[in-house]
Amino acid sequence: MTSAAEPAARVRKIVVAGLCVDDAGRVLVTQRRADQALPLQWEFPGGKLEPGESPEVALARELREELGVDAEVGRVWDVLFHAYPGYDVLMMVYRCRLPPDAVPRAVEVADLAWRAPDALDDLDILPADAPLVRRLAAEGAPPWTPVV
């Protein structure tokens, strides 16, 4: 039981997102399905960790499920926290690389788009992903750095 001075515990979701960059320096964003929470908003692809899953394995799995591609997961590029009205999100963002012959497709997402880092601000981006859009506009897409 919480006292009047203690806030109720909030649900915290730990999620991973992939910053996939193509040879032209464009980044991949996906649109949420109409039947999901925050419908039809745009985000960086990824999702929740399953019990016992490392963030890197979870991200590779999510990219396979959502986009039908096998991605190489690189280094963490950013870590963000966002408080939605009913829950908190802690998001780890990894730089990812797709194989040269990979063609992502909208498997478990409504749509996808490749955009220049400074051309994302006209999309209806999820609030948790908005800081990434601002950082990409200011810095551009980060180079690929493999995990050693």
Side-chain angles (χ1 to χ4, degrees):
M1 184 165 159
T2 60
S3 71
E6 290 180 37
R10 286 178 52 89
V11 173
R12 175 161 297 154
K13 297 179 182 184
I14 299 174
V15 300
V16 288
L19 182 63
C20 301
V21 182
D22 71 5
D23 291 338
R26 300 175 304 170
V27 297
L28 182 65
V29 290
T30 57
Q31 188 178 38
R32 296 175 65 81
R33 296 185 324 261
D35 64 339
Q36 291 179 293
L38 306 167
L40 302 178
Q41 287 191 286
W42 291 84
E43 64 185 342
F44 293 90
K48 290 183 259 185
L49 279 69
E50 298 292 337
E53 223 175 18
S54 73
E56 297 86 353
V57 167
L59 181 55
R61 175 186 52 76
E62 287 285 349
L63 294 174
R64 251 188 327 277
E65 291 173 0
E66 291 182 359
L67 306 172
V69 294
D70 288 317
E72 186 176 356
V73 177
R75 297 184 181 277
V76 170
W77 182 66
D78 210 338
V79 177
L80 302 167
F81 174 84
H82 184 79
Y84 282 103
Y87 58 93
D88 297 334
V89 170
L90 179 64
M91 179 169 47
M92 294 169 280
V93 183
Y94 288 81
R95 174 66 165 81
C96 295
R97 182 169 66 174
L98 302 182
D101 60 342
V103 179
R105 59 192 195 285
V107 178
E108 290 188 5
V109 296
D111 201 2
L112 58 86
W114 289 98
R115 291 285 189 98
D118 60 354
L120 295 164
D121 58 352
D122 65 329
L123 296 174
D124 185 14
I125 293 282
L126 286 178
D129 290 39
L132 299 173
V133 170
R134 290 190 295 273
R135 182 174 177 195
L136 284 165
E139 299 176 12
W144 171 253
T145 307
V147 176
V148 188

